[in-house]
Amino acid sequence: MSTATLDRPRVNSTAPFAARPRPSQPAHVIRDDAEAITVAHRLAAEFRTESALRDREGLLPLSELDAYSQSGLWGINVPKAYGGAGVSYATLAQVIRILAEGDSSLAQITQNHLALVAHIGLDATPAQQAELFGLVLQGIRFGNAFSEKNSKNVAAFETTFKIEGDTAVVNGQKFYTTGALLAHIVPIVTVDPLEGKGYLAFADRNADGLTVLNDWSSFGQRTTASGSIQIVDVRVPLSRLVPVAAFDRPTAAGAISQIIQAAIDGGIAAGAIAETIAFVKNRSRPWIDSGKETAAEDPFTISAIGDLTLRLHAAEALLERAGRAIDLALAEPNEATVNAATLATAEAKVLTTEAAIAATNKLFELAGTRSTLAEHNLDRHWRNARVHTLHDPVRWKYYHLGNYHLNGVHAPRHAWS
């Protein structure tokens, strides 16, 4: 491996990290669902090549991310009326699953951007939509400054703003800011302290007072650089202040956020299963009691691969079903369609979580002790699955599913349901 490759910036570094330059030319604009899937397969193959190296060395995926956002995939859910492809959310989930199979960290960096594009369509004014959708189609990346590490719970926000003239002045601290380090614009969830209402303040990444820290130290999803942000008197034009109102009425906003998370886990599962099959075929030895010449002929291994594949295919089927339910909820938003989309997505999230955990555990059991050697770095799949599936606990998915079917209680409307 070249010295130049290993000299790339790394995660969890104390060195200052300047905002990434904006693209010098507009991104490609994807026109339909089929093109989106084709481009996803091409990029996933490219991202897979050095995914183990990036994880092992903690290398930030700078060139990979530029290729990703310039490919047009970051704009596939921009509505057709604004020049985007407006793809089905079944397609969007498939795109993310494909990319996550190649490199789940790169797929996760897109998560909040795509959810924000959907939110703009639900809550922004027509003028804001025209501006922000236009930026997305040019190749501008949105990061996020949503969650707060020390607040009471994930939906408790202590970041606030005050209005001075035609500007919102924002102050606070954020954590789990996936995508922000490498973004061009950082949308900040902030609260009006007088009315208690939430807004998204779309701040420039290089705005005065906005400090994005490269301090993500998790053992999984390492190269998402999901560290922290300090926000001190950051000034954002009121024209870029978008209300967070989509959860006050029946919309598919929560399901959209969740289906992307589920698709990432489905991709981790698919990647782990592919690695298991390759290792068993090419490196593993047959167990002494099997009487077989190769590990791939071991009947228990064959059965286990069949079980994992079945689980993955079931999860993928539920992902597609959830995407179709989201499409319907967007076309016909009401309590029934939104609840159906939320529950369908919850089912997909349960199965993709279980498939990811099972596949990444079974990898080592089936491939054998030599698969644990550092040279292979196969533990990244388990680490990524273990960390990413913590995003939204599936124990609550079971509860909401049961509470609806038993008691008729609709699932709550928020980004984590």
Side-chain angles (χ1 to χ4, degrees):
M1 188 56 57
S2 70
T3 303
T5 298
L6 296 179
D7 283 346
R8 288 162 53 180
R10 299 168 188 254
V11 294
N12 196 21
S13 167
T14 57
F17 196 92
R20 297 290 295 159
R22 293 195 173 201
S24 58
Q25 59 185 16
H28 172 69
V29 177
I30 286 175
R31 295 302 177 187
D32 55 33
D33 295 57
E35 185 184 4
I37 292 169
T38 297
V39 172
H41 278 296
R42 174 177 61 80
L43 286 178
E46 295 174 7
F47 296 162
R48 184 179 300 111
T49 303
E50 292 190 341
S51 60
L53 173 71
R54 287 192 295 274
D55 174 88
R56 179 188 295 113
E57 301 294 334
L59 302 175
L60 288 170
L62 303 184
S63 60
E64 292 83 4
L65 199 63
D66 287 343
Y68 186 8
S69 56
Q70 285 296 104
S71 74
L73 288 178
W74 290 52
I76 56 174
N77 61 336
V78 170
K80 292 180 180 179
Y82 288 89
V87 302
S88 163
Y89 274 90
T91 297
L92 187 143
Q94 185 178 358
V95 164
I96 295 299
R97 192 213 63 75
I98 291 166
L99 290 163
E101 183 176 353
D103 187 327
S104 58
S105 287
L106 273 161
Q108 189 187 344
I109 291 175
T110 342
Q111 194 274 330
N112 294 294
H113 172 98
L114 293 171
L116 283 161
V117 170
H119 178 79
I120 291 165
L122 293 169
D123 280 341
T125 67
Q128 289 173 323
Q129 290 177 354
E131 178 191 7
L132 295 172
F133 286 151
L135 291 173
V136 170
L137 293 178
Q138 291 171 28
I140 298 300
R141 298 192 292 259
F142 298 151
N144 93 82
F146 303 165
S147 296
E148 300 179 5
K149 190 176 183 181
N150 300 315
S151 58
K152 183 178 180 180
N153 60 53
V154 71
F157 300 110
E158 298 173 357
T159 298
T160 61
F161 71 95
K162 60 183 178 180
I163 294 177
E164 293 183 359
D166 60 356
T167 303
V169 182
V170 188
N171 284 276
Q173 292 183 321
K174 299 290 184 175
F175 199 66
Y176 306 114
T177 59
T178 304
L181 189 73
L182 307 177
H184 304 117
I185 292 176
V186 180
I188 305 167
V189 172
T190 181
V191 175
D192 179 344
L194 299 178
E195 299 183 357
K197 293 182 179 179
Y199 290 83
L200 277 165
F202 284 74
D204 285 343
R205 168 65 174 80
N206 58 0
D208 290 341
L210 183 68
T211 304
V212 183
L213 302 176
N214 182 13
D215 59 352
W216 179 240
S217 62
S218 174
F219 64 69
Q221 295 297 94
R222 294 186 64 205
T223 57
T224 59
S226 304
S228 57
I229 294 179
Q230 296 174 356
I231 306 158
V232 181
D233 291 335
V234 173
R235 306 182 76 86
V236 180
L238 292 183
S239 62
R240 289 196 178 179
L241 199 64
V242 177
V244 180
F247 303 113
D248 299 335
R249 66 189 193 280
T251 74
I256 289 170
S257 181
Q258 284 293 292
I259 198 171
I260 302 169
Q261 304 288 12
I264 294 167
D265 295 332
I268 293 172
I273 292 170
E275 292 264 33
T276 305
I277 291 171
F279 205 98
V280 168
K281 281 185 172 182
N282 300 312
R283 296 178 181 272
S284 299
R285 296 183 297 181
W287 183 240
I288 189 173
D289 295 329
S290 70
K292 303 298 182 182
E293 290 296 317
T294 69
E297 296 174 285
D298 185 315
F300 295 111
T301 299
I302 292 171
S303 178
I305 292 295
D307 177 64
L308 291 174
T309 304
L310 174 63
R311 295 190 196 198
L312 176 63
H313 290 169
E316 290 172 340
L318 287 189
L319 270 177
E320 181 178 0
R321 173 173 171 265
R324 301 299 178 194
I326 290 171
D327 292 340
L328 178 60
L330 287 170
E332 302 174 17
N334 57 57
E335 291 286 355
T337 59
V338 168
N339 185 64
T342 302
L343 294 180
T345 306
E347 291 178 356
K349 183 66 165 62
V350 168
L351 281 203
T352 55
T353 291
E354 293 182 350
I357 296 298
T360 55
N361 274 328
K362 281 286 185 179
L363 192 165
F364 303 104
E365 176 186 334
L366 300 179
T369 306
R370 66 181 62 188
S371 67
T372 68
L373 298 178
E375 65 191 82
H376 306 303
N377 195 28
L378 293 177
D379 60 294
R380 74 186 188 280
H381 297 295
W382 182 89
R383 290 185 283 104
N384 290 337
R386 185 61 282 172
V387 168
H388 188 263
T389 55
L390 298 174
H391 196 281
D392 309 286
V394 295
R395 61 185 180 274
W396 278 95
K397 309 293 188 191
Y398 284 110
Y399 173 81
H400 294 315
L401 287 164
N403 206 22
Y404 172 72
H405 290 292
L406 187 62
N407 300 314
V409 178
H410 283 197
R413 291 197 300 265
H414 55 62
W416 306 277
S417 176

